[in-house]
Amino acid sequence: MSEDKDFESIAVLEGHSQDVKKVKWHPVKEVLFSASYDDTVKVWEDDDDDWYCSKTLTSHTSTVWDLAFDKTGDRMVTCSDDCNLIVWDTENIKNGPKKLCTITGFHTRTIFSVDWSEEDLIATGSGDNYIRVFQRDSTVNDPQAPSFLQIAVQKQAHDGDVNCIQWNPSKPQLLASCGDDNKIKLWKVQKPSE
């Protein structure tokens, strides 16, 4: 088979005004999310093989680099050049994802990467060379207004930007990171109660 016949383009989605930095499928619904240099996240849905942008999320004030879902797909977190994380309610896509809270004041430079673990921990990698881990504050009982606490921080995780972090899906306390120092590092992260 020739290289040209290995793939067939079935749709080209246009709507961002600048570079698209990330695309990610919703874990249980046929919905695609895209993050962009234009400071937005777009929600793409399929209507009988006709893909369209159903919602544009505009709460970040600079490039949106990454996004991740919790294990149910009911929550999404986005990270940005504005040094903020935003947690979204993605349970009801038809009404559009709803902003639940902003996690701010922790990173001092661009947050390039975010991932949500099977154990409900959010990890971030940043241009400040730090890895941070957040957990939902169990003292706040309102699911529509959650709060998150920083439970772990690794200063100078890399000698340069932390470009990507990823939780291991089968060993939920194992976190991988990579950085501008040409290294990949593996980290064991324990919840405070352990």
Side-chain angles (χ1 to χ4, degrees):
M1 185 174 260
S2 74
E3 287 184 24
D4 290 342
K5 298 187 189 231
D6 288 346
F7 295 93
E8 176 188 0
S9 176
I10 60 168
V12 177
L13 310 181
E14 297 183 48
H16 285 291
S17 61
Q18 296 186 43
D19 305 3
V20 178
K21 299 299 182 185
K22 184 76 164 196
V23 291
K24 187 165 279 196
W25 292 102
H26 188 280
V28 295
K29 299 174 183 173
E30 192 170 332
V31 178
L32 182 67
F33 289 75
S34 58
S36 172
Y37 197 76
D38 66 10
D39 311 343
T40 70
V41 174
K42 291 195 179 284
V43 183
W44 304 91
E45 294 187 74
D46 178 28
D47 181 20
D48 197 27
D49 291 332
D50 184 22
W51 286 87
Y52 65 98
C53 178
S54 63
K55 183 78 171 175
T56 300
L57 311 179
T58 59
S59 293
H60 283 290
T61 59
S62 194
T63 303
V64 183
W65 286 95
D66 200 4
L67 58 101
F69 292 93
D70 72 358
K71 63 185 173 185
T72 66
D74 291 346
R75 300 288 181 265
M76 175 181 72
V77 60
T78 55
C79 66
S80 171
D81 195 43
D82 62 14
C83 303
N84 295 323
L85 298 168
I86 296 178
V87 178
W88 305 85
D89 180 341
T90 51
E91 185 175 8
N92 188 343
I93 300 293
K94 290 298 177 196
N95 292 332
K98 176 183 162 194
K99 179 180 172 181
L100 296 177
C101 70
T102 301
I103 304 170
T104 189
F106 293 95
H107 286 289
T108 58
R109 291 188 55 211
T110 301
I111 306 171
F112 290 115
S113 185
V114 64
D115 199 23
W116 208 319
S117 79
E118 292 291 316
E119 291 192 338
D120 217 23
L121 300 177
I122 296 172
T124 58
S126 172
D128 61 12
N129 309 352
Y130 283 40
I131 295 173
R132 297 180 187 271
V133 178
F134 301 89
Q135 176 177 287
R136 189 167 171 182
D137 183 349
S138 61
T139 66
V140 177
N141 294 322
D142 183 354
Q144 295 304 309
S147 179
F148 288 80
L149 303 171
Q150 178 179 273
I151 62 163
V153 60
Q154 180 60 54
K155 298 177 181 179
Q156 299 304 311
H158 286 270
D159 294 326
D161 295 353
V162 180
N163 295 320
C164 187
I165 49 93
Q166 184 77 50
W167 291 105
N168 182 316
S170 61
K171 294 182 181 177
Q173 294 179 333
L174 189 59
L175 182 69
S177 67
C178 63
D180 281 355
D181 58 4
N182 308 328
K183 295 177 183 168
I184 299 164
K185 294 184 178 182
L186 302 180
W187 309 90
K188 185 176 181 184
V189 180
Q190 293 188 1
K191 288 185 176 183
S193 61
E194 297 180 311

